[in-house]
Amino acid sequence: MSSTSAAERARYIRDQLPPHGLFAGATWRISPEAFPLAPDLVAKLEALGSQLLAFYRACNILYRHSVQGKLPAWIAEYLDAGKPKDLIEFSRLSRFKGEIPRVIRPDVILTDDHFFITELDSVPGGIGLTGWLAKTYSALGDDVIGGPQGMTEGFDATFEKPLVVVVSEEASTYRPEMEWLGRQIDFRVIRPEETTTLGTVATVYRFFELFDWSNVPNARILFEAVARGDLKLTPPIKPHLEEKMLFAFLWMDSLKHFWREQLGEKTLAALRGVFPYTWIMDPTPLPPHAVIPELGIHDWLEMGHFSQKQRELVLKISGFSERAWGSRGVYVGHDLPANEWAEAIRRALESFPEHPFILQRFEKSKLFDSQYFDFEANEMQPFKARVRLCPYYFVGGDRATLGGVLATVCPADKKILHGMPEAVMSPCSIRAE
């Protein structure tokens, strides 16, 4: 690609942005080309959708069986920790006992020889952005995964109509991208205050986290309408499905039989191959002879004395908290001084059970040679980068279809990969062999 064509492509992409943008107040760098992925990786991402769908369904059963006494009570106790009683009661209603999120988005990090998933998001941002990027880069001839309409058609086909998307004030950054999406496939984007006049709406897409429900106007009225069967709500009112600690259950030996029965050996092995080993930071004292699996320590506080190499671990607040999204409430062990790491461990333990934390192994992400177009200098700027991939799966029946993949290409010195002004954001394409 010549510098002239790179400039033309970059300006075309910039000029296609909607007048009010896609993320309120947020900017990113532009690459003239989609982020290329090898065909074998694309095939693995396509297969991942059905595996994650099976995982969500199994987690739903795991919680329900724990509540019913068919599995140990401590499972539901962990997943209900810190949740208000009213929300727990909504989540246990038999009317929607089998419902799971209809849009699934994992955060995928590439390493030198494989990939792993740092977390799952069932109320994901980026749907409209990825749809716009796919359409824009496809117009330039890029072989975008999902094609120019994969995201818009995938979202449209998932829900019973008429559809309304409710975006809370907490999630207002994402309102412009959902409004763009609504213009493509004809749905309304409203504020929670407007949910009293839904009329003949069949489905409401909930674009707010359940931890924020007490701050969302009319949330209770909306939830009660769903409980009566007046309309459908997705993602469902199930805070246990928004918990990061679900990863930890997959690794527990005491639940191995359950996972084998629900997932099968092949899917269980596949998920364990991409989910990092995860622990729930429960401060309950262990018997004198016991140790924490994999770590070989008797007390979590012993991690405060780990060497920098041993501190290749990540602390995260699990779910029901305003700090549980947007890379807040995350502490990377080897990136902190020993005293700050020890303090982070202490705070995590003190926050249990109201705000439980999880601990995960840190896996080093792969370095890439990337570039973006510098509009002021009118030239391409190379940089060393790490990438987070966000594949979007739309659930219909027994299928989870890959609609598109968003690449967030961050400078190599960033330990936590997320949207930022210094990052390139682009759709992913299939690399020609």
Side-chain angles (χ1 to χ4, degrees):
M1 178 190 296
S2 68
S3 59
T4 302
S5 62
E8 290 172 348
R9 288 172 65 95
R11 289 194 176 90
Y12 173 83
I13 294 164
R14 182 185 62 180
D15 292 346
Q16 300 311 301
L17 279 166
H20 299 294
L22 289 159
F23 284 165
T27 61
W28 63 88
R29 289 171 171 167
I30 291 175
S31 168
E33 292 183 316
F35 189 85
L37 300 179
D40 63 331
L41 176 57
V42 176
K44 290 176 181 177
L45 291 177
E46 288 174 340
L48 183 63
S50 63
Q51 295 162 358
L52 295 178
L53 175 57
F55 178 68
Y56 265 117
R57 285 178 169 164
C59 289
N60 200 39
I61 293 170
L62 180 74
Y63 177 79
R64 192 167 73 246
H65 283 191
S66 175
V67 171
Q68 295 169 348
K70 298 177 182 178
L71 287 172
W74 54 261
I75 298 169
E77 289 170 1
Y78 272 135
L79 291 168
D80 287 341
K83 315 293 193 305
K85 180 183 177 182
D86 290 355
L87 200 57
I88 293 171
E89 290 176 353
F90 276 123
S91 74
R92 296 182 179 184
L93 290 175
S94 59
R95 179 179 292 277
F96 41 85
K97 67 180 182 181
E99 292 187 18
I100 60 168
R102 304 293 294 278
V103 182
I104 300 173
R105 192 201 81 180
D107 287 353
V108 174
I109 306 297
L110 301 180
T111 65
D112 287 334
D113 56 358
H114 71 298
F115 67 85
F116 66 96
I117 297 171
T118 58
E119 60 186 68
L120 291 173
D121 195 341
S122 59
V123 193
I127 300 172
L129 169 66
T130 307
W132 176 84
L133 288 169
K135 182 178 180 180
T136 303
Y137 281 75
S138 292
L140 291 170
D142 286 356
D143 186 14
V144 172
I145 296 168
Q149 303 297 330
M151 292 294 294
T152 52
E153 290 178 355
F155 192 86
D156 188 40
T158 299
F159 309 111
E160 185 178 335
K161 307 300 188 303
L163 169 70
V164 159
V165 174
V166 178
V167 182
S168 70
E169 189 60 34
E170 176 78 10
S172 60
T173 297
Y174 303 98
R175 184 173 288 119
E177 65 159 344
M178 296 308 289
E179 290 174 340
W180 177 89
L181 189 63
R183 291 193 294 271
Q184 311 307 304
I185 54 179
D186 192 24
F187 63 75
R188 287 190 296 142
V189 178
I190 65 173
R191 288 173 168 78
E193 294 87 341
E194 302 172 75
T195 54
T196 54
T197 56
L198 291 176
T200 59
V201 167
T203 307
V204 171
Y205 185 81
R206 168 176 65 84
F207 207 116
F208 59 88
E209 303 278 357
L210 288 174
F211 71 76
D212 197 40
W213 85 296
S214 62
N215 299 316
V216 176
N218 296 333
R220 181 180 292 276
I221 295 173
L222 178 62
F223 290 0
E224 288 174 348
V226 174
R228 290 192 304 268
D230 295 347
L231 50 83
K232 295 181 180 179
L233 179 72
T234 188
I237 313 167
K238 294 185 176 181
H240 53 275
L241 294 183
E242 297 179 14
E243 280 286 348
K244 296 179 177 69
M245 71 170 69
L246 291 172
F247 281 29
F249 293 118
L250 191 74
W251 289 100
M252 293 180 181
D253 284 340
S254 59
L255 296 176
K256 190 179 294 184
H257 176 75
F258 170 84
W259 293 115
R260 283 175 175 162
E261 183 179 74
Q262 296 295 325
L263 300 175
E265 289 284 3
K266 186 176 180 181
T267 299
L268 176 57
L271 291 175
R272 282 190 167 186
V274 296
F275 285 3
Y277 198 99
T278 304
W279 301 261
I280 298 172
M281 294 285 287
D282 182 345
T284 302
L286 298 179
H289 60 278
V291 295
I292 296 169
E294 298 288 312
L295 295 176
I297 57 177
H298 180 72
D299 189 310
W300 295 109
L301 293 174
E302 294 176 46
M303 292 194 302
H305 304 293
F306 278 7
S307 67
Q308 187 174 32
K309 177 66 176 176
Q310 290 175 306
R311 294 202 305 273
E312 290 186 346
L313 299 163
V314 183
L315 267 176
K316 297 179 182 178
I317 198 163
S318 183
F320 201 77
S321 167
E322 68 279 359
R323 293 186 293 142
W325 65 284
S327 298
R328 295 175 285 183
V330 178
Y331 304 91
V332 180
H334 61 283
D335 203 35
L336 293 174
N339 63 322
E340 292 183 21
W341 171 243
E343 177 62 16
I345 295 166
R346 185 188 63 77
R347 288 199 303 268
L349 295 171
E350 288 179 351
S351 75
F352 187 89
E354 287 78 15
H355 296 295
F357 273 69
I358 61 167
L359 180 75
Q360 289 182 328
R361 291 200 186 282
F362 180 91
E363 295 202 41
K364 193 172 183 180
S365 52
K366 182 178 181 178
L367 278 175
F368 290 88
D369 290 315
S370 192
Q371 56 185 350
Y372 67 93
F373 190 79
D374 185 329
F375 290 99
E376 291 187 6
N378 197 37
E379 63 183 11
M380 297 296 295
Q381 296 286 0
F383 69 107
K384 288 288 185 182
R386 303 183 191 276
V387 65
R388 181 191 71 177
L389 303 180
C390 290
Y392 291 83
Y393 302 97
F394 299 101
V395 177
D398 292 327
R399 297 190 61 190
T401 303
L402 179 62
V405 185
L406 172 66
T408 304
V409 189
C410 301
D413 61 343
K414 304 298 182 184
K415 293 292 192 300
I416 301 174
L417 308 183
H418 60 94
M420 60 185 76
E422 301 86 1
V424 168
M425 299 182 79
S426 71
C428 291
S429 63
I430 303 174
R431 186 176 68 209
E433 292 289 1

